[in-house]
Amino acid sequence: MDYTKLLEKAIVVSSSVALFCNVIKHIWSSTKMEKEPVKVLVTGAAGQIGYALIPMIARGVMLGPDQPVIIHMLDIEQAAEALHGVEMELIDGAFPLLRGVVATTDVAEACSDVNIAIMLGGIPRREGMERKNVMSRNVSIYKAQALALEQHAAADCKVLVVANPANTNALILKEFAPSIPEKNITCLTRLDHNRALGQIAEKLQEHVSDVKNVIVWGNHSSTQYPDVNHATVTTNSGEISVRDLIANDKWLNTEFITTVQQRGAAIIKARKHSSALSAASAVCDHIHDWVLGTPEGTWVSMGVCSYGSYGITPGLIYSFPVTCQNGKWSIVQGLKIDEFSRAKMDATANELLEEKSLAYSFLG
């Protein structure tokens, strides 16, 4: 047998196969279709959270590394110059995924055909302001923005309300944008959820990514209830409950809860401004999981419309544990609720009912 000729033939064949594979790879690369850009609205875009959030969106942190975006930025007339500055920085950032920027003080233009709306804008409560004054002004703002989204946003627009009182602002928006599916209107409690994960990880000196399934129930306020009864930590020995690992119910039922509840106030005291970096990160987490899905066996906290789960009044925007798949959220069902948790969950629900009553009084 002539092994030399056989070897020559093998080389020719393998070279042909390699050439064929390279040709197919080139054809695939050249014909591969880019995704359609997603239009993302950020209101209050010139503020601190907006300034931290917008580059995250442009870099793909929120929607993934292969999803082009067009960013719509809205702010009030007094912030127009600052908003233009953010627009210039976006251009200077040379973000590969950024396909366009709309920077405007016109709410109709800002809402035009947007697929995702992140509502940062609102009147914060400042020293000397009464709660009813803040509520009155925000009801007016969210009614107007709801009407603009109703008229101009894409039919499948997903809305995330961040400005406080977030749950009740989302409720008002839901009332005045009836064509947007109510399951597409949510509020941010992922920041509280992430704070709870962080506190557990710090206490146990574990990686935060190994902690999962905490729950934040209720209102994004000081009555919220961070619950660890179903949370676990992944260890070398497998998944172990947080309660068993910490073995300190007193800390979990007192200091842990109040630390999470008061974390925003502690940050304001320390940096003289509200949370911005962590809030922006939580917004990205919320939208990312909602659009792209939660990991198997993991849930997250989202403020969503209640349909009566866990005895919560239907229609309230209340934070529940949810899983997400194919762009839709589902409340985790069947979790055991002990007496301590029941009381905490009801207390935060009652606050939301009071807020709802106050907000509706301004609507006549």
Side-chain angles (χ1 to χ4, degrees), residues 200-221:
I200 296 300
E202 286 286 299
K203 183 74 170 178
L204 292 171
Q205 292 296 292
E206 298 282 353
H207 293 297
V208 72
S209 58
D210 290 330
V211 186
K212 69 176 186 178
N213 294 351
V214 299
I215 303 168
V216 172
W217 299 99
N219 198 3
H220 176 60
S221 75

Side-chain angles (χ1 to χ4, degrees), residues 300-320:
V300 294
S301 301
M302 288 173 58
V304 299
C305 185
S306 171
Y307 295 96
S309 294
Y310 298 100
I312 303 304
T313 303
L316 285 181
I317 304 293
Y318 187 98
S319 183
F320 291 96

Side-chain angles (χ1 to χ4, degrees), residues 343-362:
K344 295 286 187 185
M345 291 163 64
D346 289 346
T348 192
N350 288 336
E351 182 184 54
L352 283 170
L353 287 169
E354 291 172 8
E355 282 189 10
K356 177 182 177 180
S357 177
L358 181 59
Y360 274 56
S361 71
F362 298 124

Side-chain angles (χ1 to χ4, degrees), residues 3 28 55 88 105 108 218 249 257 353:
Y3 289 105
W28 170 252
M88 288 191 290
T105 58
D249 285 348
I257 292 174
L353 287 169

Side-chain angles (χ1 to χ4, degrees), residues 268-325:
I268 290 172
K269 183 178 179 181
R271 67 184 297 267
K272 314 308 177 193
H273 294 287
S274 298
S275 308
L277 185 156
S278 57
S281 181
V283 167
C284 287
D285 289 343
H286 179 113
I287 298 292
H288 179 279
D289 288 350
W290 189 4
V291 173
L292 300 176
T294 47
E296 184 72 26
T298 301
W299 62 66
V300 294
S301 301
M302 288 173 58
V304 299
C305 185
S306 171
Y307 295 96
S309 294
Y310 298 100
I312 303 304
T313 303
L316 285 181
I317 304 293
Y318 187 98
S319 183
F320 291 96
V322 304
T323 57
C324 303
Q325 189 175 16

Side-chain angles (χ1 to χ4, degrees), residues 15-35:
S15 298
S16 299
V17 169
L19 179 63
F20 177 75
C21 289
N22 283 333
V23 169
I24 293 298
K25 184 178 179 181
H26 176 74
I27 292 171
W28 170 252
S29 297
S30 62
T31 59
K32 192 177 180 183
M33 298 294 289
E34 182 183 88
K35 291 181 177 180

Side-chain angles (χ1 to χ4, degrees), residues 72-114:
H72 288 215
M73 303 189 297
L74 174 69
D75 219 308
I76 56 176
E77 287 286 350
Q78 297 93 313
E81 189 174 357
L83 187 65
H84 180 54
V86 178
E87 180 185 17
M88 288 191 290
E89 287 208 72
L90 268 178
I91 293 166
D92 294 349
F95 298 102
L97 292 172
L98 188 62
R99 295 293 180 270
V101 182
V102 175
T104 182
T105 58
D106 181 86
V107 67
E109 181 184 9
C111 292
S112 180
D113 297 321
V114 294

Side-chain angles (χ1 to χ4, degrees), residues 50-69:
Y51 192 70
L53 171 64
I54 287 165
M56 292 184 183
I57 298 171
R59 197 169 287 282
V61 175
M62 191 174 81
L63 292 172
D66 62 344
Q67 178 58 66
V69 292

